[in-house]
Coordinates of all heavy atoms in Angstrom, one line a residue:
G1 N -8.7 -2.6 14.8 CA -7.4 -2.9 15.3 C -6.5 -3.2 14.1 O -6.9 -3.3 13.0
I2 N -5.2 -3.5 14.4 CA -4.3 -3.8 13.3 C -4.2 -5.3 13.2 O -3.9 -6.0 14.1 CB -2.9 -3.2 13.6 CG1 -3.0 -1.7 13.5 CG2 -1.8 -3.7 12.6 CD1 -1.7 -1.0 13.9
D3 N -4.4 -5.8 12.0 CA -4.4 -7.3 11.7 C -3.6 -7.5 10.5 O -4.0 -7.4 9.4 CB -5.9 -7.7 11.5 CG -5.9 -9.3 11.2 OD1 -4.9 -9.9 11.4 OD2 -7.0 -9.7 10.8
N4 N -2.3 -7.9 10.8 CA -1.4 -8.1 9.7 C -1.7 -9.4 9.0 O -1.1 -9.7 8.0 CB 0.0 -8.2 10.2 CG 0.6 -6.8 10.2 OD1 0.4 -6.0 9.2 ND2 1.3 -6.4 11.2
S5 N -2.7 -10.2 9.4 CA -3.1 -11.4 8.8 C -4.1 -11.1 7.6 O -4.5 -12.0 6.9 CB -3.6 -12.5 9.7 OG -4.8 -12.0 10.3
M6 N -4.5 -9.9 7.5 CA -5.4 -9.5 6.4 C -4.7 -9.9 5.1 O -3.5 -9.7 4.9 CB -5.6 -8.0 6.4 CG -6.3 -7.5 5.2 SD -6.8 -5.7 5.4 CE -6.3 -5.1 3.9
E7 N -5.5 -10.6 4.3 CA -5.0 -11.1 3.0 C -4.7 -9.8 2.1 O -5.7 -9.3 1.6 CB -6.0 -12.0 2.3 CG -6.0 -13.4 2.9 CD -4.6 -14.2 2.7 OE1 -4.2 -14.1 1.5 OE2 -4.1 -14.7 3.6
L8 N -3.5 -9.5 1.9 CA -3.2 -8.3 1.2 C -2.0 -8.6 0.3 O -0.9 -9.2 0.7 CB -2.8 -7.2 2.1 CG -2.3 -5.9 1.5 CD1 -3.4 -5.2 0.6 CD2 -1.8 -5.0 2.5
N9 N -2.1 -8.4 -1.0 CA -1.1 -8.7 -1.9 C -0.6 -7.3 -2.6 O -1.4 -6.6 -3.2 CB -1.6 -9.6 -3.0 CG -0.5 -10.3 -3.7 OD1 0.6 -10.4 -3.3 ND2 -0.8 -10.9 -4.8
V10 N 0.7 -7.0 -2.4 CA 1.2 -5.8 -3.0 C 2.4 -6.2 -3.8 O 3.3 -6.9 -3.4 CB 1.7 -4.8 -1.8 CG1 2.4 -3.6 -2.4 CG2 0.6 -4.4 -0.9
S11 N 2.3 -5.9 -5.1 CA 3.3 -6.3 -6.1 C 3.5 -5.3 -7.1 O 2.6 -4.5 -7.3 CB 2.9 -7.7 -6.7 OG 1.7 -7.6 -7.3
P12 N 4.6 -5.2 -7.9 CA 5.8 -6.0 -7.6 C 6.6 -5.3 -6.5 O 6.3 -4.2 -6.1 CB 6.5 -5.8 -9.0 CG 6.1 -4.5 -9.5 CD 4.7 -4.4 -9.1
N13 N 7.5 -6.0 -6.0 CA 8.4 -5.5 -5.0 C 9.8 -6.1 -5.1 O 10.0 -7.3 -5.0 CB 7.8 -5.9 -3.6 CG 8.5 -5.1 -2.4 OD1 9.3 -4.2 -2.7 ND2 8.3 -5.5 -1.2
P14 N 10.8 -5.3 -5.5 CA 10.8 -3.8 -5.7 C 9.9 -3.3 -6.9 O 9.6 -4.1 -7.8 CB 12.2 -3.4 -5.8 CG 12.9 -4.7 -6.2 CD 12.1 -5.8 -5.7
V15 N 9.5 -2.1 -6.7 CA 8.6 -1.5 -7.7 C 9.2 -0.3 -8.4 O 10.0 0.4 -7.8 CB 7.2 -1.1 -7.0 CG1 7.5 -0.2 -5.9 CG2 6.2 -0.5 -8.0
L16 N 8.8 -0.1 -9.7 CA 9.4 1.0 -10.4 C 8.4 2.1 -10.6 O 8.5 3.3 -10.2 CB 9.9 0.5 -11.7 CG 10.8 1.4 -12.5 CD1 12.0 1.9 -11.6 CD2 11.4 0.8 -13.7
H17 N 7.2 1.7 -11.2 CA 6.2 2.7 -11.6 C 4.9 2.6 -10.8 O 4.4 3.6 -10.3 CB 5.9 2.6 -13.1 CG 7.1 2.8 -14.0 ND1 7.8 4.0 -14.0 CD2 7.7 2.0 -14.9 CE1 8.8 3.9 -14.9 NE2 8.7 2.7 -15.4
S18 N 4.4 1.4 -10.8 CA 3.0 1.2 -10.4 C 2.9 0.1 -9.5 O 3.4 -1.0 -9.8 CB 2.1 1.1 -11.6 OG 0.8 1.0 -11.2
L19 N 2.2 0.3 -8.4 CA 2.0 -0.8 -7.3 C 0.6 -1.4 -7.5 O -0.4 -0.7 -7.5 CB 2.1 -0.1 -6.0 CG 2.6 -0.8 -4.8 CD1 4.0 -1.5 -5.1 CD2 2.7 0.2 -3.6
H20 N 0.6 -2.7 -7.7 CA -0.7 -3.4 -7.8 C -1.1 -3.9 -6.4 O -0.3 -4.6 -5.7 CB -0.6 -4.6 -8.7 CG -1.9 -5.3 -8.9 ND1 -3.0 -4.7 -9.6 CD2 -2.4 -6.5 -8.5 CE1 -4.0 -5.5 -9.6 NE2 -3.7 -6.6 -8.9
I21 N -2.3 -3.5 -5.9 CA -2.7 -3.8 -4.6 C -4.0 -4.6 -4.7 O -4.9 -4.2 -5.4 CB -3.0 -2.5 -3.8 CG1 -1.6 -1.8 -3.6 CG2 -3.6 -2.8 -2.4 CD1 -1.7 -0.4 -2.9
E22 N -4.0 -5.8 -4.0 CA -5.2 -6.7 -4.1 C -5.5 -7.2 -2.7 O -4.6 -7.6 -2.0 CB -4.8 -7.8 -5.0 CG -6.0 -8.5 -5.7 CD -5.5 -9.5 -6.8 OE1 -4.5 -9.2 -7.4 OE2 -6.2 -10.4 -6.9
M23 N -6.8 -7.1 -2.4 CA -7.2 -7.6 -1.0 C -8.2 -8.8 -1.2 O -9.0 -8.8 -2.1 CB -7.9 -6.5 -0.3 CG -7.1 -5.3 0.1 SD -8.1 -4.1 0.9 CE -9.1 -3.5 -0.5
A24 N -8.0 -9.7 -0.3 CA -9.0 -10.8 -0.3 C -10.3 -10.4 0.3 O -11.3 -10.8 -0.2 CB -8.4 -12.0 0.4
E25 N -10.2 -9.7 1.4 CA -11.5 -9.1 2.0 C -12.2 -8.3 1.0 O -11.6 -7.4 0.3 CB -11.2 -8.3 3.2 CG -11.0 -9.1 4.5 CD -9.6 -9.8 4.6 OE1 -8.8 -9.4 3.8 OE2 -9.4 -10.6 5.5
T26 N -13.5 -8.5 0.9 CA -14.2 -7.6 -0.1 C -14.5 -6.3 0.6 O -15.2 -6.3 1.7 CB -15.5 -8.3 -0.5 OG1 -15.3 -9.6 -0.9 CG2 -16.2 -7.6 -1.6
A27 N -13.9 -5.3 0.1 CA -14.2 -4.0 0.7 C -14.7 -3.1 -0.3 O -14.2 -3.0 -1.5 CB -12.9 -3.4 1.3
N28 N -15.7 -2.3 0.0 CA -16.3 -1.3 -1.0 C -15.2 -0.3 -1.3 O -15.1 0.2 -2.4 CB -17.5 -0.7 -0.5 CG -18.6 -1.7 -0.4 OD1 -18.7 -2.7 -1.1 ND2 -19.6 -1.5 0.6
E29 N -14.6 0.1 -0.2 CA -13.5 1.1 -0.3 C -12.4 0.9 0.7 O -12.7 0.5 1.8 CB -14.1 2.5 -0.1 CG -13.3 3.6 -0.5 CD -13.9 5.0 -0.4 OE1 -15.1 5.1 -0.4 OE2 -13.2 5.9 -0.2
A30 N -11.2 1.1 0.2 CA -10.1 1.0 1.1 C -9.2 2.2 0.9 O -9.2 2.8 -0.2 CB -9.3 -0.3 0.9
T31 N -8.5 2.5 1.9 CA -7.5 3.6 1.8 C -6.1 3.1 1.8 O -5.7 2.3 2.6 CB -7.7 4.6 3.0 OG1 -9.0 5.0 3.1 CG2 -6.8 5.8 2.9
V32 N -5.3 3.6 0.8 CA -3.9 3.2 0.7 C -3.1 4.4 1.1 O -3.3 5.5 0.6 CB -3.6 2.8 -0.7 CG1 -2.1 2.5 -0.8 CG2 -4.4 1.6 -1.1
Q33 N -2.3 4.2 2.2 CA -1.4 5.3 2.6 C 0.0 4.8 2.5 O 0.3 3.7 2.9 CB -1.7 5.6 4.1 CG -3.1 6.2 4.3 CD -3.5 6.3 5.7 OE1 -3.2 5.4 6.5 NE2 -4.1 7.4 6.1
I34 N 0.8 5.7 1.9 CA 2.3 5.3 1.8 C 3.1 6.3 2.6 O 2.9 7.5 2.5 CB 2.7 5.4 0.3 CG1 1.8 4.4 -0.5 CG2 4.2 5.1 0.1 CD1 2.1 4.4 -2.0
Y35 N 3.9 5.7 3.5 CA 4.7 6.5 4.4 C 6.2 6.3 4.1 O 6.6 5.2 3.7 CB 4.5 6.0 5.8 CG 3.1 6.3 6.4 CD1 2.1 5.3 6.2 CD2 2.9 7.4 7.1 CE1 0.9 5.5 6.7 CE2 1.6 7.7 7.6 CZ 0.6 6.7 7.4 OH -0.7 6.9 7.9
N36 N 7.0 7.3 4.2 CA 8.4 7.1 4.1 C 8.9 6.6 5.5 O 8.2 6.5 6.4 CB 9.2 8.4 3.7 CG 9.0 9.6 4.6 OD1 8.7 9.4 5.8 ND2 9.3 10.8 4.1
L37 N 10.2 6.4 5.5 CA 10.8 5.8 6.8 C 10.8 6.8 7.9 O 11.0 6.4 9.1 CB 12.2 5.2 6.5 CG 12.2 3.9 5.7 CD1 13.5 3.3 5.7 CD2 11.1 2.9 6.2
Q38 N 10.6 8.0 7.6 CA 10.5 9.0 8.7 C 9.1 9.1 9.3 O 8.9 9.9 10.2 CB 11.0 10.4 8.2 CG 12.4 10.6 8.0 CD 12.9 9.8 6.7 OE1 12.4 9.9 5.7 NE2 14.0 9.1 6.9
G39 N 8.2 8.4 8.7 CA 6.9 8.3 9.2 C 6.0 9.3 8.6 O 4.8 9.5 9.0
A40 N 6.5 10.1 7.6 CA 5.6 11.1 6.9 C 4.8 10.4 5.8 O 5.3 9.6 5.1 CB 6.5 12.2 6.3
L41 N 3.5 10.8 5.8 CA 2.6 10.4 4.7 C 2.9 11.1 3.4 O 2.9 12.3 3.3 CB 1.2 10.7 5.1 CG 0.0 10.3 4.2 CD1 0.0 8.8 4.1 CD2 -1.3 10.8 4.7
V42 N 3.3 10.3 2.4 CA 3.8 10.8 1.2 C 2.7 10.7 0.1 O 2.8 11.4 -1.0 CB 5.1 10.3 0.7 CG1 6.2 10.7 1.6 CG2 5.1 8.8 0.6
Q43 N 1.8 9.8 0.3 CA 0.7 9.6 -0.8 C -0.5 8.9 -0.1 O -0.3 8.0 0.8 CB 1.3 8.7 -1.9 CG 0.2 8.6 -3.0 CD 0.8 7.9 -4.2 OE1 2.0 8.0 -4.5 NE2 0.0 7.2 -5.0
Q44 N -1.6 9.3 -0.5 CA -2.9 8.6 0.0 C -3.9 8.5 -1.2 O -4.0 9.4 -2.0 CB -3.5 9.4 1.1 CG -4.7 8.7 1.6 CD -5.2 9.3 3.0 OE1 -4.4 9.5 3.9 NE2 -6.4 9.6 3.1
S45 N -4.5 7.3 -1.3 CA -5.5 7.2 -2.3 C -6.5 6.2 -1.9 O -6.3 5.4 -1.0 CB -4.9 6.8 -3.7 OG -3.9 5.8 -3.5
S46 N -7.7 6.3 -2.5 CA -8.8 5.4 -2.2 C -8.9 4.4 -3.3 O -8.9 4.7 -4.5 CB -10.1 6.1 -2.0 OG -10.1 7.0 -0.9
I47 N -9.1 3.1 -2.9 CA -9.3 2.1 -3.9 C -10.4 1.2 -3.6 O -11.0 1.2 -2.5 CB -8.0 1.2 -4.0 CG1 -7.7 0.5 -2.7 CG2 -6.7 2.1 -4.3 CD1 -6.7 -0.6 -2.8
A48 N -10.8 0.3 -4.5 CA -11.7 -0.7 -4.3 C -10.9 -2.0 -4.0 O -9.8 -1.9 -3.5 CB -12.7 -0.9 -5.4
N49 N -11.4 -3.1 -4.3 CA -10.8 -4.4 -3.9 C -9.4 -4.5 -4.5 O -8.4 -5.1 -3.8 CB -11.5 -5.6 -4.4 CG -12.7 -5.9 -3.5 OD1 -13.1 -5.1 -2.7 ND2 -13.3 -7.1 -3.7
Q50 N -9.2 -4.0 -5.6 CA -7.8 -4.0 -6.2 C -7.6 -2.8 -7.1 O -8.6 -2.2 -7.6 CB -7.6 -5.3 -7.0 CG -8.6 -5.6 -8.1 CD -8.1 -6.8 -8.9 OE1 -7.0 -7.2 -8.9 NE2 -9.1 -7.5 -9.5
A51 N -6.4 -2.4 -7.2 CA -6.1 -1.2 -7.9 C -4.6 -1.1 -8.2 O -3.8 -1.8 -7.6 CB -6.5 0.1 -7.1
D52 N -4.3 -0.3 -9.2 CA -2.9 0.0 -9.5 C -2.7 1.5 -9.1 O -3.4 2.4 -9.4 CB -2.7 -0.1 -11.0 CG -2.7 -1.6 -11.4 OD1 -2.0 -2.4 -10.8 OD2 -3.5 -1.9 -12.3
V53 N -1.7 1.6 -8.2 CA -1.4 2.9 -7.6 C -0.1 3.4 -8.2 O 0.9 2.7 -8.0 CB -1.4 2.9 -6.1 CG1 -1.0 4.2 -5.5 CG2 -2.7 2.4 -5.5
S54 N -0.1 4.5 -8.9 CA 1.2 5.0 -9.4 C 2.0 5.7 -8.4 O 1.6 6.5 -7.6 CB 0.8 6.0 -10.5 OG 2.1 6.6 -11.0
I55 N 3.3 5.3 -8.3 CA 4.2 5.9 -7.3 C 5.5 6.4 -8.1 O 6.5 6.5 -7.5 CB 4.6 4.9 -6.2 CG1 5.2 3.7 -6.7 CG2 3.3 4.6 -5.4 CD1 5.9 2.9 -5.7
E56 N 5.3 6.7 -9.4 CA 6.4 7.1 -10.2 C 7.2 8.3 -9.6 O 8.3 8.5 -9.7 CB 5.9 7.4 -11.6 CG 5.8 6.2 -12.5 CD 5.5 6.6 -13.9 OE1 6.4 7.0 -14.6 OE2 4.3 6.6 -14.3
H57 N 6.4 9.2 -9.0 CA 6.9 10.5 -8.5 C 7.7 10.4 -7.2 O 8.4 11.3 -6.8 CB 5.8 11.5 -8.3 CG 4.8 11.0 -7.3 ND1 3.9 10.1 -7.5 CD2 4.6 11.4 -6.0 CE1 3.1 9.9 -6.4 NE2 3.6 10.7 -5.5
L58 N 7.6 9.2 -6.6 CA 8.3 9.0 -5.3 C 9.8 8.8 -5.5 O 10.2 8.1 -6.5 CB 7.7 7.9 -4.5 CG 6.3 8.0 -4.0 CD1 5.8 6.8 -3.2 CD2 6.1 9.3 -3.2
A59 N 10.6 9.3 -4.6 CA 12.0 9.0 -4.7 C 12.3 7.6 -4.4 O 11.5 6.9 -3.8 CB 12.7 9.9 -3.7
S60 N 13.5 7.1 -4.9 CA 13.8 5.7 -4.7 C 14.1 5.6 -3.2 O 14.5 6.5 -2.5 CB 15.1 5.4 -5.4 OG 15.0 5.5 -6.8
G61 N 13.8 4.3 -2.7 CA 14.0 4.1 -1.3 C 12.9 3.1 -0.7 O 12.2 2.5 -1.5
M62 N 12.9 3.0 0.6 CA 11.9 2.1 1.2 C 10.7 2.9 1.8 O 10.9 4.0 2.3 CB 12.7 1.4 2.4 CG 12.0 0.1 2.8 SD 13.0 -0.8 4.0 CE 14.2 -1.5 2.9
Y63 N 9.6 2.2 1.6 CA 8.3 2.9 2.1 C 7.5 1.8 2.8 O 7.6 0.6 2.6 CB 7.6 3.5 0.9 CG 8.2 4.6 0.2 CD1 9.1 4.4 -0.8 CD2 8.0 5.9 0.6 CE1 9.8 5.4 -1.4 CE2 8.6 7.0 0.0 CZ 9.5 6.7 -1.0 OH 10.2 7.8 -1.6
M64 N 6.6 2.3 3.6 CA 5.6 1.4 4.3 C 4.3 1.7 3.6 O 3.9 2.9 3.5 CB 5.5 1.7 5.8 CG 6.7 1.3 6.6 SD 7.0 -0.5 6.5 CE 5.5 -1.1 7.4
V65 N 3.6 0.7 3.2 CA 2.3 0.8 2.6 C 1.3 0.4 3.6 O 1.4 -0.8 4.1 CB 2.1 0.0 1.3 CG1 0.7 0.1 0.7 CG2 3.1 0.4 0.3
R66 N 0.3 1.2 4.0 CA -0.7 0.8 4.9 C -2.0 0.8 4.2 O -2.4 1.8 3.5 CB -0.8 1.8 6.1 CG -1.9 1.5 7.1 CD -1.9 2.4 8.2 NE -3.0 2.0 9.1 CZ -3.3 2.7 10.2 NH1 -2.5 3.7 10.6 NH2 -4.3 2.3 11.1
V67 N -2.8 -0.3 4.3 CA -4.1 -0.4 3.7 C -5.1 -0.5 4.8 O -5.0 -1.4 5.6 CB -4.2 -1.6 2.7 CG1 -5.5 -1.7 2.1 CG2 -3.1 -1.5 1.6
N68 N -6.1 0.4 4.8 CA -7.2 0.3 5.8 C -8.5 0.0 5.0 O -8.8 0.7 4.1 CB -7.4 1.7 6.4 CG -6.1 2.1 7.2 OD1 -5.6 1.4 8.0 ND2 -5.6 3.3 6.9
A69 N -9.1 -1.0 5.5 CA -10.4 -1.4 4.8 C -11.4 -1.8 6.0 O -11.2 -2.9 6.6 CB -10.2 -2.6 3.9
G70 N -12.3 -1.0 6.3 CA -13.2 -1.2 7.4 C -12.5 -1.4 8.7 O -11.7 -0.5 9.1
N71 N -12.6 -2.6 9.3 CA -11.9 -2.9 10.6 C -10.5 -3.4 10.3 O -9.8 -3.7 11.3 CB -12.7 -3.8 11.4 CG -14.1 -3.3 11.8 OD1 -14.2 -2.1 12.0 ND2 -15.1 -4.1 11.9
Y72 N -10.2 -3.7 9.1 CA -8.9 -4.3 8.8 C -7.8 -3.2 8.5 O -8.1 -2.2 7.9 CB -9.0 -5.2 7.6 CG -9.8 -6.4 7.9 CD1 -11.1 -6.4 7.4 CD2 -9.3 -7.5 8.5 CE1 -11.9 -7.6 7.7 CE2 -10.0 -8.6 8.7 CZ -11.3 -8.7 8.3 OH -12.1 -9.8 8.6
S73 N -6.7 -3.5 8.9 CA -5.5 -2.7 8.6 C -4.3 -3.5 8.4 O -4.1 -4.5 9.2 CB -5.3 -1.7 9.7 OG -4.2 -0.8 9.5
A74 N -3.5 -3.3 7.4 CA -2.3 -4.1 7.2 C -1.2 -3.2 6.7 O -1.4 -2.3 5.9 CB -2.6 -5.3 6.3
Y75 N 0.0 -3.6 7.0 CA 1.2 -3.0 6.5 C 2.1 -3.8 5.6 O 2.1 -5.0 5.8 CB 2.1 -2.5 7.7 CG 1.5 -1.5 8.6 CD1 0.7 -1.8 9.6 CD2 1.8 -0.1 8.3 CE1 0.2 -0.8 10.5 CE2 1.3 0.8 9.2 CZ 0.5 0.5 10.2 OH 0.0 1.5 11.1
R76 N 2.6 -3.2 4.6 CA 3.6 -3.9 3.8 C 4.8 -3.0 3.5 O 4.6 -1.8 3.3 CB 3.0 -4.4 2.5 CG 2.0 -5.5 2.5 CD 2.5 -6.8 3.0 NE 1.5 -7.8 3.0 CZ 0.7 -8.1 4.1 NH1 0.9 -7.3 5.2 NH2 -0.2 -9.0 4.1
R77 N 6.0 -3.5 3.5 CA 7.2 -2.7 3.2 C 7.5 -2.9 1.8 O 7.5 -4.0 1.3 CB 8.3 -3.2 4.1 CG 9.6 -2.4 3.9 CD 10.6 -2.8 4.9 NE 10.3 -2.3 6.3 CZ 10.8 -2.7 7.4 NH1 11.7 -3.7 7.3 NH2 10.5 -2.2 8.5
I78 N 7.8 -1.8 1.1 CA 8.1 -1.9 -0.4 C 9.4 -1.2 -0.6 O 9.8 -0.3 0.2 CB 7.0 -1.4 -1.3 CG1 6.7 0.1 -0.9 CG2 5.7 -2.2 -1.2 CD1 6.1 0.9 -2.0
V79 N 10.1 -1.5 -1.7 CA 11.2 -0.8 -2.1 C 10.9 -0.2 -3.4 O 10.5 -0.9 -4.4 CB 12.5 -1.8 -2.2 CG1 13.6 -1.0 -2.8 CG2 12.8 -2.4 -0.9
K80 N 11.0 1.1 -3.5 CA 10.8 1.9 -4.7 C 12.2 2.0 -5.4 O 13.2 2.5 -4.8 CB 10.3 3.3 -4.5 CG 10.3 4.3 -5.6 CD 9.4 3.9 -6.7 CE 9.2 5.1 -7.7 NZ 10.3 5.4 -8.5
Q81 N 12.3 1.5 -6.7 CA 13.6 1.6 -7.4 C 13.9 2.9 -8.0 O 13.0 3.7 -8.3 CB 13.6 0.6 -8.5 CG 13.7 -0.9 -8.0 CD 13.7 -1.9 -9.1 OE1 13.1 -1.8 -10.1 NE2 14.5 -3.0 -8.9

């Protein structure tokens, strides 16, 4: 299910080049999906507990970041400068 209480840290926000993603839950692997406001998936990557995800190529604007790790799923809204 979707549990927005999952300990998820996405920084910096607003972001220019690289998004630092950190999860409190220990996950061997998590999927990071970035959606634009139209709901289209613009980027997807697999990470471990923490990672830096480059989003330099994305246009400026607002995006939703979804992190899936096992049974956990959480969303964060970010602004790309």
